[in-house]
Amino acid sequence: MTRIFENTATAFALKSDAELERAFYLFRMISNEPLVKIGTSLTHFAIKANLPVEGLIRTTVFDHFCGGVNEEDCMPVVERMWEKGVCTVLDYSVEGKDTEDPLDDALAKTLEILDFVKKKDAMPFAVFKPTGYGRFALYQKISEGKTLTPAETAEWERVVRRYDLSCKKAYDLGVSLLIDAEESWMQKAADDLVEAMMREYNKKDRIVYNTLQMYRKDRMDYFREVHEKARAEGFQVGMKIVRGAYLEKENDRAEEKGYPTPMCGSKEETDANFDAAIRFGLDNLDTVSLFSGTHNENSSYALMEEMERRGLAKNDPRIWFGQLYGMSDHISFNLGAEGYNVAKYLPFGPVRDVMPYLIRRAEENTSVAGQTNRELELLRKERKRRKI
C-alpha cells in the first residue's frame, strides 16, 4: 500500500506559514519533559491564583488544540476541514465537575450540540464524557459494587436520565453519539449504562458508541461479551477503539493500592490488543460499527489494508478513522483526500475550563516519545518544502 502519510503538502494544507511555525515550536516545547512539567505546574498555579494568563494560553496551546470557546467559534475550522474531506466531532471538553449544576450544564450542551450537528453533514457524531454527567466517586462506588445511600440512588437516577435524554435525542435525530471511556476503577458503571442505552437505541442503527481503551488487558474479552449479548438480544454495537489516555495514573494507583495493574505489559502488547479489536469488529460488521481512534500510522495502515483485502469500500459507513485536532494531521487529511471516513475531535469550551484537557494532551504527547518526534519530523519536512 502507498505510504500516503508522508504527504505533508496535503497534511498541512490548512495551516498558514505562521500556524505551521506555531505548531513546530509548540511540539518542540512539548518534546521537553521537564519543560512540560514546569509549564503545567505554573499553569495550574496561575489559574488557581486567577492570574491573567488566558490571553497567552489562548494564542498558543489553546488555539492549536481547540476550536474555540463555543460552537460558533468552531465553525470556520469545521468548514475548512470539511472542504478537505475531514469531518468534525465537536467535543465540549470541560472535565471533572463534582456538583449538579455543571452536570446539567453538560447535558444541556450535549443536547444543543446534537441539534447543531444534525444540520451539518460535516459533523456526523456528537460526544460526551461519563464524568460530564455524573460524579467520578459515584461511578466508582457503583463499579465497586457498594450499596448506595438513598441520596446517592436518587443522584444516580439523575445520571441515568442524562444518558437517556442524550441517547434518545441522538436516536430521534439519527445522529451517532460517542461516549468516552475514563479510569478503570469507575468504568464498569459507565459500561453497564452505555450497554443499557445500546439495548434501547441501537435496535436498528448504530446510534450509541462505547469506547474501549485497549491498553487494558480485559477489553478484548469485554468486546466479545457485548457482541454476544448483542447477537442474543437483537441490538447493534458501536465501538470506538483507542489505546487509552490514563496509563501513568492507572499504574500508579495499582502500585499504591497493591493490586495487579489492569494495563498491558508493554506498548507492543497494547498495539496487538488494539489491532485485535479492529479485526474483531471487521469480522462482525453485520452487528458492529467501528470508530478507530488512533494516532498510530501502523494501525491506520493495517485497517486500510484489511478493508482492501475484504473488498470494503473506503467510505463504508460502518468504519471511521479519528484523530484529535492539532495532532496527526498527516493521517487525518491524507485519509480524507483518499476518500476514507475520517473525523477530528475538536475540543471547545471556556479557556480555563478546558485547561485540564490541554494539560493532559501535553503530558500524553510527552509520555509517548515517538508521537512528538514524528510530529516534529513532518513539520520540519513541510517547513523545508515551503522554504520557511
Side-chain angles (χ1 to χ4, degrees), residues 40-213:
T40 54
S41 297
L42 287 174
T43 303
H44 277 305
F45 171 77
I47 287 173
K48 283 181 179 174
N50 282 318
L51 298 178
V53 293
E54 287 187 35
L56 176 63
I57 293 166
R58 178 79 202 252
T59 56
T60 53
V61 64
F62 184 91
D63 279 353
H64 182 81
F65 289 111
C66 300
V69 298
N70 56 43
E71 299 97 317
E72 293 300 335
D73 255 5
C74 295
M75 287 318 298
V77 178
V78 171
E79 285 162 6
R80 287 170 71 210
M81 290 200 296
W82 177 238
E83 286 169 8
K84 299 294 182 184
V86 176
C87 295
T88 297
V89 182
L90 275 184
D91 184 10
Y92 183 58
S93 295
V94 175
E95 301 185 0
K97 301 292 186 179
D98 282 333
T99 55
E100 288 286 308
D101 285 350
L103 302 175
D104 285 329
D105 289 346
L107 168 65
K109 183 59 70 176
T110 302
L111 297 177
E112 184 184 318
I113 289 169
L114 280 163
D115 281 326
F116 200 65
V117 163
K118 179 61 179 175
K119 299 171 190 169
K120 297 277 182 183
D121 290 339
M123 296 185 285
F125 297 93
V127 62
F128 70 85
K129 282 174 70 73
T131 51
Y133 280 12
R135 285 188 305 116
F136 187 102
L138 185 62
Y139 284 103
Q140 182 179 345
K141 192 168 182 180
I142 293 168
S143 296
E144 292 170 350
K146 294 178 179 174
T147 304
L148 300 184
T149 66
E152 287 170 334
T153 300
E155 184 185 351
W156 182 246
E157 286 168 0
R158 292 193 292 275
V159 175
V160 174
R161 178 177 168 276
R162 291 182 191 112
Y163 272 71
D164 190 61
L165 285 170
S166 302
C167 295
K168 184 179 188 306
K169 180 146 195 173
Y171 173 83
D172 290 342
L173 294 173
V175 172
S176 292
L177 184 59
L178 302 164
I179 301 172
D180 285 340
E182 299 187 60
E183 290 88 340
S184 61
W185 57 97
M186 60 73 70
Q187 188 61 42
K188 185 181 184 305
D191 284 342
D192 290 347
L193 191 41
V194 177
E195 216 176 287
M197 296 298 119
M198 283 188 194
R199 278 192 188 86
E200 184 65 27
Y201 297 110
N202 284 13
K203 286 171 183 167
K204 292 182 181 176
D205 297 315
R206 293 90 189 262
I207 297 292
V208 180
Y209 283 63
N210 202 358
T211 299
L212 297 182
Q213 299 186 101

Side-chain angles (χ1 to χ4, degrees), residues 229-242:
K229 289 176 189 172
R231 279 208 190 285
E233 299 172 35
F235 64 91
Q236 307 284 305
V237 176
M239 280 297 184
K240 181 171 65 140
I241 312 297
V242 301

Side-chain angles (χ1 to χ4, degrees), residues 303-347:
L303 176 50
M304 293 157 67
E305 286 163 6
E306 276 294 307
M307 290 173 70
E308 187 177 343
R309 188 177 71 78
R310 294 165 189 252
L312 298 166
K314 290 180 177 179
N315 65 344
D316 188 305
R318 299 166 297 183
I319 304 167
W320 281 81
F321 295 78
Q323 290 79 43
L324 298 168
Y325 184 71
M327 293 167 63
S328 299
D329 287 347
H330 65 298
I331 296 178
S332 309
F333 288 98
N334 282 303
L335 283 171
E338 291 287 323
Y340 290 93
N341 296 323
V342 58
K344 284 281 205 189
Y345 258 61
L346 184 62

